[in-house]
């Protein structure tokens, strides 16, 4: 059953909205978010359905199609008024073929033609297919923190580190649909560098993802570094970045060290990206922003990143490149997927 999404992004009514209309689908390993968006990037309706990947991809895309129809009804529209659907998906993929290859969080979905099967379950509507982090990046570029930019990099900080790169209306997907895999840039070339979940050493994700934060914290605790986290864990709580953030906000020295070491590693990676791409800005999103702008810790985390980047890049770039938090939160994925659908629609209808 679909659940209505209480979004932080303001929804507009059918009478306020500007056609044409698009649907964005943000596929996740646990839940899939679906939203109807107008030509200005404003949501009319959004909902969430359980992905239930264990039931297989065909069952999932069937329920996605039902969710699309439900979201369209909730927006006060007919399916005939939807110009195109956009789908953002995790995992390795072949974008031109519209296929998932071997998605880690969707076991058994290997080589599934997800774009065309979703189109089938949406009554034949054309579907634009994109990496989920790239979709979130496009959402921020279109109507989020990057709406005044010509180009941006978005890093999504979570279990891993996702990335999207947008230049103009172009998502940098790469020749083999593996572009913008910036969680896997190398920040430590040493032979004994930390292992990344991908099986290689020294990647940014191995140092600055939520998985890495937990691993680095656990190592310190096992080495008996003094910390208020010891007591929280003795009480049966689970070690998570959120727990580390809570203790950091209370002044625990180890927790603060872990947070600001994470900022240090991110600064190294971001400096490399800035020198490679020279974007208007770099945005940080995902679940692990340590409270973002709403938290003193989050603001301090961001400032540590900015300071670390400035020390490592050309002065002109340090002066002009904006580094900030993303603005759309969990809405970025479906809004951006709808935005990519809009780009494809305009390309077809206007010959762009």
């Amino acid at each position: 059953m679909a659940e209505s999404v209480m979004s932080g992004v303001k929804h507009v009514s059918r009478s306020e909205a500007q056609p044409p209309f698009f649907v964005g689908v943000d596929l996740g390993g646990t839940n899939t978010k679906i939203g109807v968006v107008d030509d200005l990037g404003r949501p009319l309706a959004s909902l969430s359905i359980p992905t239930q990947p264990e039931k297989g991809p065909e069952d999932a895309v069937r329920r996605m199609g039902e969710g699309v129809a439900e979201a369209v009804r909730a927006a006060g529209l007919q399916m005939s008024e939807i110009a195109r659907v956009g789908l953002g998906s995790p995992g390795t993929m072949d974008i031109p073929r519209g296929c998932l290859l071997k998605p880690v969080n969707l076991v058994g979905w290997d080589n599934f033609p997800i774009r065309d099967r979703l189109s089938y379950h949406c009554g034949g509507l054309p579907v634009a297919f994109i990496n989920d982090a790239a979709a979130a990046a496009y959402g921020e570029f279109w109507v989020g923190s990057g709406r005044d930019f010509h180009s941006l990099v978005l890093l999504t900080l979570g279990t891993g580190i996702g990335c999207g790169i947008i230049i103009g209306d172009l998502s940098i997907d790469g020749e083999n649909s593996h572009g913008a895999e910036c969680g896997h840039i190398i920040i430590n070339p040493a032979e004994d560098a930390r292992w990344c979940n991908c099986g290689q050493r020294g990647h940014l994700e191995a140092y600055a993802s939520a998985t890495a934060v937990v691993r680095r914290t656990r190592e310190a605790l096992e080495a008996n570094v003094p910390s208020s986290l010891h007591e929280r864990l003795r009480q049966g709580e689970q070690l998570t970045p959120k727990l580390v953030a809570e203790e950091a906000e209370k002044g625990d020295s180890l927790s603060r060290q872990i947070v600001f070491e994470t900022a240090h590693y991110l600064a190294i990676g971001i400096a490399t990206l800035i020198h490679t791409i020279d974007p208007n800005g770099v945005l940080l999103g995902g679940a692990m922003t340590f409270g973002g702008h709403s938290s003193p810790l989050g603001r301090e985390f961001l400032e540590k990143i900015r300071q670390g980047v400035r020390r490592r890049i050309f002065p002109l770039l340090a002066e002009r490149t904006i580094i900030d938090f993303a603005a759309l939160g969990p809405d970025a994925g479906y809004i951006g997927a709808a935005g990519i659908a809009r780009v494809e629609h305009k390309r077809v209808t206007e010959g762009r």
Side-chain angles (χ1 to χ4, degrees), residues 124-140:
L125 275 171
V127 175
F129 184 45
I130 191 170
N131 174 272
D132 57 349
Y138 195 85
E140 294 291 341

Side-chain angles (χ1 to χ4, degrees), residues 47-217:
L47 54 85
S48 177
I49 62 172
T51 303
Q52 298 177 316
E54 70 281 358
K55 293 185 176 180
E58 188 64 33
D59 180 78
V61 291
R62 176 186 60 78
R63 289 184 292 104
M64 284 181 216
E66 293 171 353
V68 167
E70 183 177 341
V72 170
R73 287 194 298 272
L77 298 170
Q78 303 292 323
M79 287 293 286
S80 59
E81 296 178 88
I82 303 301
R84 194 172 291 249
V85 175
L87 170 64
S89 172
T92 54
M93 58 187 60
D94 184 329
I95 292 175
R97 289 176 52 226
C99 291
L100 295 173
L101 295 180
K102 197 173 181 64
V104 174
N105 294 331
L106 301 169
V107 177
W109 290 37
D110 297 9
N111 302 307
F112 181 68
I114 191 168
R115 180 192 63 199
D116 293 346
R117 295 310 297 159
L118 179 59
S119 174
Y120 172 82
H121 289 289
C122 290
L125 275 171
V127 175
F129 184 45
I130 191 170
N131 174 272
D132 57 349
Y138 195 85
E140 294 291 341
F141 170 79
W142 188 20
V143 294
S145 290
R147 61 188 174 276
D148 296 324
F149 297 171
H150 176 261
S151 57
L152 66 78
V153 175
L154 172 72
L155 293 172
T156 58
L157 309 178
T159 303
I161 296 181
C163 183
I165 301 171
I166 307 296
I167 299 175
D169 268 346
L170 178 66
S171 171
I172 305 302
D173 300 326
E175 187 68 25
N176 300 294
S177 305
H178 283 56
E181 287 286 357
C182 299
H184 301 285
I185 60 174
I186 296 172
I187 66 166
N188 184 353
E191 292 297 324
D192 62 348
R194 290 182 176 275
W195 287 104
C196 182
N197 288 336
C198 74
Q200 301 291 334
R201 287 187 183 270
H203 293 183
L204 178 62
E205 189 171 296
Y207 287 84
S209 65
T211 304
V213 164
V214 170
R215 186 176 295 133
R216 287 167 31 228
T217 306

Side-chain angles (χ1 to χ4, degrees), residues 316-331:
L316 179 68
L317 300 180
E319 178 186 341
R320 295 186 179 178
T321 308
I322 295 168
I323 301 173
D324 205 349
F325 289 122
L328 300 180
D331 298 297

Side-chain angles (χ1 to χ4, degrees), residues 215-243:
R215 186 176 295 133
R216 287 167 31 228
T217 306
R218 181 173 290 116
E219 288 170 0
L221 294 173
E222 289 174 351
N224 291 317
V225 175
S227 171
S228 56
L229 287 167
H230 286 291
E231 182 57 31
R232 298 286 297 268
L233 298 182
R234 275 195 291 268
Q235 293 173 2
E237 295 188 68
Q238 184 178 358
L239 181 58
T240 63
K242 183 174 184 293
L243 191 69

